[in-house]
Amino acid sequence: MQGIVMSNDKMELTDRARAGSTNRRWTRLIPVILVIYIIAYIDRVNIGFGMGQIRESLHMDAAQGGFAAGIFFIGYLVLQVPGGYLAQKWSARKVVFCLMLGWGLCAILAGFVANYGQLLTARFMLGVFEGGVQPALMVLINRWFPKSEKGRAFSLFIMHNPIATVITAPLAGLILMHGSWRELFVIQGLLPLLIGVGLWLWVAADDPAEARWLSAQEAQEIATLKAADGDDSAASNWRAAVKSPYVWLLALMGMLVWLGFYGLQLWLPTLLKTVFKGELTVGLVAAIPPICAAAAIWINGRGADRDGRYNVRVAVPLIVGGVILATSTLITANQPWLVVLALAAATACQLSFFGPYWTMNSTLVRPEAVGAGFGIINGIGNLGGLLGPYVGGWIQDTTGSLALASVFFGCSVILAGIMALALRGAVRRRVSADS
């Protein structure tokens, strides 16, 4: 009887907290996190916009240019686990601050390189510093948001992708109109130092109780919501992450997703540029997929918070996206708007699974394993994006068939969706145990 009374009291307190809970973590913390990762995305991909000038200036061939762009992702793996582990054990705020300083300086130094070797070093170190940022930010989001809000919080984080996709090309083009690739690197490298660092130091806090812009009452409301999810204050333990079968299953799922969605770059974007003519037309049409993706990200993340069906909301976009990838080569230049529709749907599927996926991860990974576990999941997941070009190239070289490569990538994504469904019972048991 006493347990029932305590349970009812806890539910009452939680309901009051939800009713009065502040929106400031949504209007201050999340936008700053979003801005930081938009800047990271820009610094990561800007080499592609200046590649023609870079190759000419540093006397590089096409293979060297490709390796200079790709070496970033090798460096990206170095701090995945340490970044997440230190964020949980020490301070996510301080870890991200230090990494921003490092990546901003590396991005700027890339604008002063004199040869190919120096460019490789700058790009590799840029990847090293940026690699620890995402797991650290995931740890921070996990601390600030209760399970009932994580779908939206993680979804808003991945919103950096469509936003950055829309603004990166015009920004790079504007800089290159008035300067060279060196100015491109320097100006965009200043962004994390001038914008990211200032915003981060003002807004970021490892715990709501430490946030200067949050009242004590508002911090208590968040603490009440978090308490309803169970204890997540355990000390960071990397051994628990390594021993957790869920960490490795979720990491494998992420790798299959990012490996498979590399196939999205094989056919449909090229076909889009073929069937639509004129830079303005292509630019306007190319903006449709990221806009659709942004809408899908929010709808799926919000829906996951409402119904708690994280596995289904991961599986459905992956399976639908996989089918689109597998059949994409059946679409021809005679079907221009079908090209747009397929690319928009596939892009939406590629990104909208993210919020429920990371909510599922935070549910299955034990509190003490979150920091290192998130690093393992994100690091191995990104291996898929690194392996995609090589696997796709090998299949096409061996079989001479783009269609077979597309089928392989589509099946990879579908398999990830099936894995999400297979973990449905485990998620349900963990949610029941924490409630």
Side-chain angles (χ1 to χ4, degrees):
M1 184 70 177
Q2 184 181 1
I4 296 174
V5 173
M6 289 178 66
S7 176
N8 288 337
D9 288 344
K10 180 179 178 182
M11 290 175 61
E12 247 179 75
L13 186 59
T14 303
D15 289 341
R16 287 201 302 271
R18 290 188 200 283
S21 181
T22 176
N23 287 324
R24 291 190 187 182
R25 61 188 178 279
W26 297 101
T27 59
R28 295 197 183 183
L29 184 64
I30 287 293
V32 171
I33 290 175
L34 194 58
V35 167
I36 286 171
Y37 225 74
I38 288 172
I39 295 172
Y41 182 95
I42 290 171
D43 283 335
R44 183 182 311 175
V45 304
N46 60 8
I47 190 172
F49 296 97
M51 183 56 74
Q53 292 185 19
I54 295 170
R55 285 179 53 191
E56 182 178 351
S57 178
L58 300 183
H59 309 291
M60 294 159 43
D61 59 29
Q64 288 175 318
F67 188 65
I71 197 172
F72 168 92
F73 295 98
I74 299 175
Y76 193 80
L77 299 175
V78 174
L79 288 185
Q80 287 288 314
V81 176
Y85 175 76
L86 288 173
Q88 185 179 7
K89 187 175 182 64
W90 177 40
S91 164
R93 179 177 185 265
K94 293 175 182 176
V95 167
V96 174
F97 171 72
C98 293
L99 292 175
M100 269 195 293
L101 289 177
W103 114 50
L105 290 173
C106 287
I108 292 171
L109 289 173
F112 295 93
V113 299
N115 55 55
Y116 176 58
Q118 291 177 3
L119 179 63
L120 291 183
T121 302
R123 290 290 299 177
F124 176 81
M125 291 307 301
L126 178 66
V128 170
F129 285 113
E130 278 196 25
V133 174
Q134 180 168 333
L137 291 176
M138 293 301 190
V139 169
L140 194 71
I141 292 172
N142 194 58
R143 283 180 177 169
W144 270 80
F145 294 88
K147 192 178 278 95
S148 60
E149 296 177 345
K150 284 179 183 176
R152 281 167 289 168
F154 286 128
S155 293
L156 285 172
F157 172 82
I158 197 59
M159 202 78 79
H160 76 264
N161 189 292
I163 295 173
T165 300
V166 171
I167 68 175
T168 300
L171 178 60
L174 181 63
I175 296 172
L176 290 172
M177 279 177 60
H178 302 282
S180 70
W181 63 273
R182 295 187 184 277
E183 282 78 13
L184 177 68
F185 284 169
V186 171
I187 292 172
Q188 294 186 342
L190 286 170
L191 295 178
L193 301 181
L194 299 179
I195 299 176
V197 168
L199 284 172
W200 186 251
L201 289 178
W202 175 60
V203 171
D206 288 305
D207 187 90
E210 300 174 8
R212 290 169 293 182
W213 43 269
L214 207 61
S215 69
Q217 179 184 353
E218 292 167 337
Q220 183 56 47
E221 290 171 0
I222 298 172
T224 301
L225 294 174
K226 290 286 293 175
D229 293 340
D231 181 26
D232 66 351
S233 60
S236 182
N237 185 339
W238 65 268
R239 292 181 180 85
V242 172
K243 292 178 181 179
S244 170
Y246 291 125
V247 166
W248 298 102
L249 282 171
L250 293 165
L252 175 60
M253 186 191 309
M255 186 176 73
L256 289 171
V257 169
W258 296 121
L259 170 67
F261 272 121
Y262 167 75
L264 186 57
Q265 308 304 317
L266 289 182
W267 179 242
L268 292 176
T270 302
L271 197 59
L272 184 74
K273 294 177 181 178
T274 301
V275 298
F276 291 95
K277 304 298 182 182
E279 289 189 11
L280 178 60
T281 302
V282 172
L284 290 174
V285 172
I288 294 174
I291 291 171
C292 292
I297 288 167
W298 176 248
I299 291 169
N300 203 36
R302 186 173 183 177
D305 283 344
R306 286 182 171 179
D307 59 30
R309 300 173 69 187
Y310 308 116
N311 302 74
V312 173
R313 290 185 176 275
V314 172
V316 170
L318 294 184
I319 292 172
V320 172
V323 171
I324 294 172
L325 287 177
T327 59
S328 61
T329 54
L330 298 177
I331 302 172
T332 68
N334 296 323
Q335 304 161 303
W337 289 107
L338 184 57
V339 175
V340 177
L341 177 63
L343 185 56
T347 305
C349 291
Q350 179 186 14
L351 298 176
S352 64
F353 90 100
F354 187 91
Y357 170 69
W358 278 99
T359 308
M360 187 172 71
N361 293 352
S362 67
T363 301
L364 290 175
V365 178
R366 300 306 300 174
E368 66 273 13
V370 161
F374 281 10
I376 292 171
I377 292 168
N378 196 55
I380 293 179
N382 276 279
L383 271 179
L386 184 64
L387 292 173
Y390 298 99
V391 175
W394 179 82
I395 292 175
Q396 289 184 71
D397 290 342
T398 303
T399 66
S401 172
L402 176 65
L404 284 179
S406 297
V407 169
F408 169 82
F409 288 126
C411 289
S412 175
V413 178
I414 291 170
L415 179 57
I418 293 171
M419 288 178 65
L421 290 177
L423 289 169
R424 186 176 181 183
V427 172
R428 187 176 295 172
R429 288 191 297 272
R430 188 59 54 83
V431 170
S432 298
D434 290 339
S435 61

